[in-house]
Amino acid sequence: MSSARTLEAIQYTRGNLRILNQLALPHETIFEPVLNVQDGHAAIKTMKTRGAPAIAIVAALSLAVDAHARLEKNEFKSVDEAKDFLLSSLEYLKTSRPTAVNLFDTAGKFATLINKLVQNGAQEPKDLVMPIVEAAEQMLVDDVQDNKNIGKHGAEYIVNHVRDKSNISVLTHCNTGSLATAGWGTALGIVRDLHRNDQLKHAFCTETRPYNQGSRLTAYELVYESIPSTLICDSMASALLRLNPSVQAIIVGADRVAANGDTANKIGTYQLAITAKHHGILFIVAAPSTSIDLSMQSGKEIVIEERPANELVTTTGVLLDNNQSTTVRTAAQGINVWNPSFDVTPCELISAIVTEKGVAVKQPGQTEFDLKAFLS
Ligand SMILES: CSC[C@H]1O[C@H](OP(=O)(O)O)[C@H](O)[C@@H]1O
């Protein structure tokens, strides 16, 4: 199913935003309009749009289309009214999901820009709105370039640090590709680079219960790109590493990386790091520097989102005979549910953190990363 067309989760032209409803993948490709910040918040909260970078981009673009439409209709009667709308909308968008830092990083940068424009004497609402529209649009461009750089740095690091560079298979978790970003992807971007460089023997991906980002999204991307790949259950990871010596690296994304390298990522990441350590293979975190939160020294401070119980007791994307996908209940009625969407992998289990700026590694004898120094 290889195609020259790249997969995209976000379709945008100025004043128009549509998002791919990822709850319907892989069976149905449904793009839905996002007209305002309420639509953007809902798309993120319901996980129609997901993935740390994509969450920030869709939030920013939902603000851009909302503010642009209001500007076109002359709804802002003053600079102050435009400022109040923009700042309150950013605070509202931040309430959609708590763990991925990219959204909060973007909201902070946009608020700083707005306040700076006001201090510099913005005269009309457009003097605030249009720089925000342009900043949101620039995120689409920057994210793809960041991911291309992550792919390049990550592929080089893996090839130079595995035991047998002629026999490289990798395992990845969740979805970190074009469906989680503006394009190419982070961890899956490294897989794309290894494949494009003819350095990849095979890519394994986990189902990633309960939302099934792996079976529904990553498998979809790997098949789409004709990358030799195999889907496994989350519970099969250790057996795979024990039985298949070609798997020499586990590559995952990140939602929030603390200054010492502790990493919040999709639930199940921590146990993959443990089994990577046990089997003596690389455990690589791939993320843009906007996923690094230097305000948090360690992962102890990271808020872990808990998702609704119904997302665990049901399975989304079940295909019916009429080719419609649906959600079915699989767990017994009445059972209690714990459904954290993320876990935190301690820095001592992480081999390297690959960013668009390069690869962060620990100093010899150190168990922590010094990401403040790495990014300075
Ligand atoms: C490049 S995506 C990073 C990160 O986001 C995903 O979480 P979710 O699907 O819940 O938004 C997953 O943790 C990925 O590793």
Side-chain angles (χ1 to χ4, degrees):
M1 192 165 84
S2 177
S3 160
R5 197 173 65 80
T6 58
L7 279 171
E8 56 181 357
I10 303 166
Q11 291 181 343
Y12 174 85
T13 53
R14 185 164 290 182
N16 293 287
L17 172 62
R18 297 193 324 153
I19 55 106
L20 178 59
N21 176 357
Q22 297 189 29
L23 290 169
L25 285 178
H27 309 303
E28 295 167 286
T29 300
I30 301 169
F31 278 90
E32 298 179 357
V34 172
L35 304 176
N36 50 47
V37 293
Q38 286 73 25
D39 291 350
H41 186 283
I44 295 164
K45 189 166 183 65
T46 58
M47 292 180 68
K48 287 182 178 181
T49 281
R50 31 66 47 202
I55 287 170
I57 293 166
V58 166
L61 290 174
S62 73
L63 177 60
V65 295
D66 195 336
H68 187 262
R70 292 167 187 258
L71 190 67
E72 294 281 286
K73 292 182 282 188
N74 293 312
E75 289 187 11
F76 298 123
K77 302 307 176 203
S78 68
V79 169
D80 278 349
E81 205 174 291
K83 174 188 170 186
D84 291 346
F85 168 76
L86 291 168
L87 293 178
S88 61
S89 296
L90 289 169
E91 289 306 305
Y92 169 65
L93 287 162
K94 282 160 63 176
T95 66
S96 53
R97 292 184 75 191
T99 302
V101 68
N102 312 58
L103 170 56
F104 297 83
D105 177 76
T106 296
K109 285 173 179 167
F110 279 26
T112 301
L113 174 59
I114 293 160
N115 288 319
K116 185 178 164 202
L117 290 165
V118 170
Q119 283 158 13
N120 291 349
Q123 295 300 308
E124 300 174 53
K126 71 177 174 59
D127 298 336
L128 293 190
V129 170
M130 292 318 297
I132 290 296
V133 169
E134 289 156 11
E137 292 169 352
Q138 189 59 39
M139 290 176 73
L140 277 171
V141 177
D142 293 348
D143 187 59
V144 174
Q145 189 50 58
D146 286 350
N147 295 337
K148 292 291 182 80
N149 291 337
I150 288 169
K152 177 178 177 298
H153 294 318
E156 283 172 1
Y157 182 85
I158 288 171
V159 168
N160 291 329
H161 290 81
V162 292
R163 283 187 300 276
D164 180 358
K165 62 180 64 177
S166 67
N167 188 29
I168 298 176
S169 295
V170 299
L171 171 65
T172 191
H173 187 55
C174 196
N175 175 256
T176 59
S178 296
L179 298 176
T181 65
W184 200 252
T186 56
L188 207 58
I190 295 174
V191 174
R192 284 189 161 100
D193 266 72
L194 287 168
H195 175 65
R196 294 281 169 95
N197 300 341
D198 203 21
Q199 296 165 325
L200 181 72
K201 178 179 179 185
H202 207 89
F204 293 87
C205 61
T206 62
E207 269 186 320
T208 317
R209 284 277 301 147
Y211 184 95
N212 296 326
Q213 288 95 331
S215 53
R216 296 191 304 109
L217 307 178
T218 296
Y220 180 84
E221 291 202 42
L222 289 168
V223 168
Y224 186 90
E225 302 270 358
S226 300
I227 294 174
S229 45
T230 298
L231 174 67
I232 65 170
C233 294
D234 302 356
S235 54
M236 298 172 184
S238 293
L240 172 70
L241 299 189
R242 187 177 181 88
L243 298 173
N244 189 330
S246 80
V247 182
Q248 299 183 72
I250 294 178
I251 321 173
V252 299
D255 290 83
R256 193 182 295 246
V257 184
N260 72 345
D262 289 350
T263 295
N265 195 54
K266 184 52 49 197
I267 187 73
T269 301
Y270 174 38
Q271 64 189 23
L272 290 176
I274 293 167
T275 195
K277 190 82 174 179
H278 177 76
H279 291 90
I281 67 169
L282 294 173
F283 187 81
I284 307 286
V285 170
S289 54
T290 49
S291 297
I292 297 174
D293 182 357
L294 296 179
S295 73
M296 291 188 178
Q297 181 46 40
S298 82
K300 295 187 188 69
E301 305 160 64
I302 298 175
V303 173
I304 299 299
E305 176 189 24
E306 295 221 8
R307 299 281 310 172
N310 74 300
E311 291 181 2
L312 191 150
V313 297
T314 61
T315 295
T316 299
V318 172
L319 203 58
L320 300 174
D321 293 345
N322 64 0
N323 251 353
Q324 293 297 309
S325 67
T326 187
T327 296
V328 294
R329 184 180 177 98
T330 48
Q333 292 285 0
I335 186 65
N336 291 319
V337 172
W338 180 53
N339 186 16
S341 195
F342 303 98
D343 57 27
V344 176
T345 298
C347 52
E348 59 264 25
L349 295 177
I350 299 171
S351 309
I353 299 173
V354 181
T355 77
E356 75 283 5
K357 300 177 188 296
V359 182
V361 294
K362 289 168 278 191
Q363 294 305 310
Q366 295 300 310
T367 57
E368 294 191 341
F369 293 82
D370 182 351
L371 294 178
K372 283 191 176 73
F374 175 73
L375 294 177
S376 61

